[in-house]
Amino acid sequence: VASLTAAFKVTKDNQYAEHAIRHLHKWFINKETRMNPNMNYAQAIKGICAGRGVGLIDGIHLVEVARSLSVLEENSGIDKNDAKIIKEWFAEFLDWMTTHEYGIDERERKNNHGSCWVMQAAEYARLTQNVEMTNYCIDRYKTVLLPNQMAEDGSFPMELERTKPYGYSLFNIDILASVCKILSSDDVNLW
């Protein structure tokens, strides 16, 4: 969806938007094929658990879908009713993230998992115009993520203790930069 939306924006060729919308219909609108607005079974382990909180990190690519929807809307590339239905899906997913034990577990993670939760929540709040959640994410970035994850030298001590410290550190700074991009405005500069 993100690639097709980018092609539509660059070329102004409606075939790309139409193809993106076909995907959006299958994943978010069509009741027979759409994804449920939760990740109850993410990172399930057969015989051990049906799903777990750390599985929410697998949903980070949905941020691209949410941003794509905004681009399609801004460029008259999607029907208003379709956009409304998809936004309702993201509002339900955001509600799941903030109330289900798996979402809460992921939010409370001290490393890049907690950062990914904020990035997702921030983007879905932006898309659905959920001001309360946007403000929550701004506060969480300022008071939890940044002071507890980044050392004064710019390193991420919790990521440096992991098996792939360089990769995890780069991943986390990328996620935190995305949080800054999503949440910064004329009134709030998280950079």
Side-chain angles (χ1 to χ4, degrees):
V1 169
S3 296
L4 290 164
T5 301
F8 166 67
K9 185 173 180 180
V10 169
T11 67
K12 306 292 187 225
D13 188 335
N14 285 332
Q15 72 173 331
Y16 297 112
E18 291 164 7
H19 195 89
I21 291 164
R22 285 199 297 273
H23 286 289
L24 292 170
H25 269 267
K26 295 240 188 229
W27 283 91
F28 301 98
I29 296 174
N30 184 323
K31 292 188 189 277
E32 293 178 16
T33 61
R34 79 179 197 139
M35 179 178 163
N36 290 322
N38 64 63
M39 295 193 75
N40 289 337
Y41 306 105
Q43 292 194 13
I45 303 171
K46 187 176 181 177
I48 297 175
C49 64
R52 53 196 183 143
V54 294
L56 185 57
I57 200 168
D58 294 334
I60 63 172
H61 303 288
L62 293 173
V63 168
E64 295 174 353
V65 175
R67 295 205 67 83
S68 295
L69 179 59
S70 295
V71 171
L72 289 168
E73 278 189 302
E74 291 164 9
N75 292 278
S76 303
I78 190 167
D79 176 78
K80 288 182 192 310
N81 191 55
D82 286 351
K84 178 180 176 280
I85 293 169
I86 297 167
K87 286 179 183 181
E88 288 168 357
W89 187 96
F90 277 102
E92 286 183 55
F93 186 58
L94 181 58
D95 182 62
W96 178 87
M97 285 178 57
T98 59
T99 60
H100 191 276
E101 66 180 292
Y102 294 169
I104 293 167
D105 176 69
E106 186 75 338
R107 180 191 69 209
E108 297 303 316
R109 297 282 170 163
K110 307 287 184 216
N111 60 10
N112 67 70
H113 282 265
S115 301
C116 286
W117 186 95
V118 170
M119 179 185 69
Q120 290 183 73
E123 178 57 26
Y124 310 149
R126 182 203 63 78
L127 179 70
T128 61
Q129 299 177 345
N130 184 331
V131 175
E132 181 180 349
M133 182 53 61
T134 298
N135 290 334
Y136 176 85
C137 290
I138 290 168
D139 182 67
R140 191 155 183 89
Y141 174 81
K142 290 178 176 180
T143 63
V144 176
L145 297 184
L146 204 54
N148 294 317
Q149 287 192 26
M150 184 181 277
E152 287 193 28
D153 66 1
S155 68
F156 296 104
M158 284 177 280
E159 305 303 345
L160 293 175
E161 294 174 5
R162 299 181 73 186
T163 57
K164 301 175 188 172
Y166 182 69
Y168 281 119
S169 293
L170 289 176
F171 177 65
N172 202 38
I173 194 69
D174 184 43
I175 296 302
L176 293 176
S178 296
V179 169
C180 291
K181 171 69 175 157
I182 293 165
L183 293 174
S184 289
S185 66
D186 291 340
D187 300 325
V188 178
N189 182 356
L190 297 181
W191 294 102

